[in-house]
Amino acid sequence: MKLFRWCAALLLVAAAAMIVVYRAMNRVPSAELPQNEQVFRIFEDGGCLSCHSADPQLPFYAKLPVAGSIVMKDIDSGYRAYDIRPFMDDLKADAGFSPVDLAKIEKVVLDDRMPMPKYYLVHWGSSLTDAKRDIVLDWILKERVKMYADNLPEDRAGEPVRPIDRNIEVDEAKAALGYALFHDTRLSVDNTVSCATCHALETAGVDNHQYSHGVDDQLGGVNAPTVYNAVYNFVQFWDGRAKTLADQAAGPPLNPVEMASESFDQIIAKLEADRKFAKAFKAVYPDGLTQENITDAIEEFEMTLITPDSRFDKWLRGDDAALTAEELEGYNLFKKYDCATCHVGQNLGGQSYELMGLRRHYFADRGMELTVEDNGRYKETQQERDRHRFKVPGLRNVEHTWPYYHDGTRETLEEAVRDMAIYQSGVELADAEVDKITSFLKTLTGEHNGKLLTNDTSRDVIHDHDHDH
């Protein structure tokens, strides 16, 4: 009996000691530190760089036979999903933050996903305690409010998606020239194709083809994204090869499949032959028609292609009656299943490159032969991690911008939602969940120049034409 009491006492002492050590190792950073420094230390102590970086900090047991294989598998999947190094560098410099980083970090913290038990049971100081969690979430809220400065109601100020600006300051004279150039077929070699051919304003800024048709009816290799709200994208094109709208505007005119002009000199010669247009252009741009001025004017026009005041924007600004119960449930499911960790901000996307097929191999299931365009960002960087990564598309007006994905393989919004959940979030949605998320996405249709954006194009005609090719 005495031995039992001694053993029980020793166990109690050991447990108490472990609690003391655990608490000591999981102390929160000093409140005297700047909040970004506190967050930096929390994630550094949490071992995030051990799995989510190109140069992981390997523990000693990574060299052991069984444990090592588990560690390397975790590192591979962790880095594949998210590279935290840029975020940590931003924290250290306190130099501004990606809205995608804020959204991803927030969701992981809210869901208590990281660090995994098998990590914090070995690395005691890495646990994300309630006190640490509060510091991180409070910091994210403050950064998000500061980032957007859109004065949303207090109960919506922390939302990862934001309303579109009602106005963006532009040079009206330049934008008017840009509008004319956007619709001018003289940018193409045979005067048959304009920017509006693939990005028609009356069809939500797309052509609703799987692949767009260029000169001589040549087919492009990627689905044309909408020009509406493209001003909010951090780069342009699916592979991000253009940093600005002006850079993007310079591409199609010289693309041999799209407009096929030999040079901007050839384009300029045709435009200068139009004396009335050349005179109007020089009145705005004193140095006249140049590639830089042409693309600048188109960029200025495209900055006007914003679609504010969707029903969802009205809800974000405080109008509770703007959404039905089903639509609001759809938005909550959209956040629950991680959609709002990539589709963030004003355009609900366009802020990061993400892997197509994060949870399940998309291209193996697709069955089509891989194309050059399927490489995504890898085309530009030649870095293996960028293979199959694409700029995340914005979801504004998405009910009108079918077909979906970079390869245009999903014709309906319901298909796109269901399959995106499988490949990106690893979940199979119930029919009711698909319906609710789709209903929410339809509330993202906004207004342009005070009129609700529509698309009355016949799907049957479009797709029959595509299938002929």
Side-chain angles (χ1 to χ4, degrees), residues 182 195-209 212 223-230 302 305 307 396-397 400-402 448 453-455 457:
F182 187 86
C195 304
T197 301
C198 303
H199 302 284
L201 302 187
E202 63 272 17
T203 53
V206 299
D207 58 9
N208 297 121
H209 292 295
S212 296
N223 184 250
T226 180
V227 287
Y228 281 108
N229 304 306
E302 290 190 350
L305 297 177
T307 59
R396 293 287 179 174
N397 313 301
H400 298 312
T401 58
W402 41 268
H448 182 58
L453 212 65
T454 59
N455 186 345
T457 305

Side-chain angles (χ1 to χ4, degrees), residues 58-74:
L58 297 176
F60 71 92
Y61 51 84
K63 297 181 180 179
L64 301 178
V66 177
S69 62
I70 296 174
V71 168
M72 298 313 294
K73 183 178 180 181
D74 287 343

